[in-house]
Amino acid sequence: MKLLLAIVNNDDSARAASALTDHGFFVTKLSTTGGFLMVGNTTLLIGIDDDKVDEVKAILKKHCTTRKQAASPTESLGRGLRRDSLPTQVAVGGATVFVLNVEETMKI
Ligand code: 2BA
């Protein structure tokens, strides 16, 4: 069993979660915040059998697109960075995926 953590853009999250549930997967959506841009994103938790990892990755790839997003000088300056050292835009997404081994899962 694997647990996939997929960090996706808020604008893609509903479509990605719907597509996953349409394919029979169980999904939990968490509201999260990126540490660099300090703006909201969505983390999907997806528990699956080992042989389903590629199928889930393909669904995420289909529904999560890469975007240019403006970096927020105000938030970054709060971390002590100089304004002129910041890029004005960064490429974000489609999805950042972590695949974790699961020792045990149960529903009680
Ligand atoms: P953020 O941390 O808000 O990062 C947004 C985008 O800013 C990143 O897009 C990347 O292009 C850039 N970026 C992030 N940290 C940077 C840094 N230290 N220096 C220069 N540029 C940086 P993505 O890589 O597509 O990441 C999208 C979101 O996925 C991130 O939002 C974060 O919430 C999450 N994420 C990405 N990689 C992660 C990792 N290794 N561990 C934990 N979360 C991660």
Side-chain angles (χ1 to χ4, degrees), residues 55-67:
E55 185 180 348
V56 168
K57 285 197 284 190
I59 292 169
L60 292 169
K61 191 169 186 177
K62 182 174 177 186
H63 293 281
C64 300
T65 53
T66 304
R67 303 172 162 74

Side-chain angles (χ1 to χ4, degrees), residues 9-100:
N9 193 287
N10 282 345
D11 294 338
D12 295 331
S13 63
R15 261 178 298 135
S18 296
L20 288 164
T21 54
D22 287 349
H23 282 77
F25 296 109
F26 288 64
V27 181
T28 297
K29 280 176 67 183
L30 302 177
S31 295
T32 46
T33 303
F36 188 73
L37 293 178
M38 297 291 186
V39 298
N41 53 28
T42 299
T43 298
L44 303 176
L45 307 186
I46 311 149
I48 50 173
D49 291 331
D50 290 20
D51 62 351
K52 297 291 185 186
V53 171
D54 287 343
E55 185 180 348
V56 168
K57 285 197 284 190
I59 292 169
L60 292 169
K61 191 169 186 177
K62 182 174 177 186
H63 293 281
C64 300
T65 53
T66 304
R67 303 172 162 74
K68 295 275 185 195
Q69 204 158 325
S72 162
T74 309
E75 297 295 349
S76 299
L77 282 169
R79 302 190 318 242
L81 298 177
R82 282 160 37 118
R83 182 181 296 270
D84 60 9
S85 70
L86 296 167
T88 52
Q89 289 204 316
V90 291
V92 183
T96 298
V97 181
F98 299 90
V99 182
L100 285 68

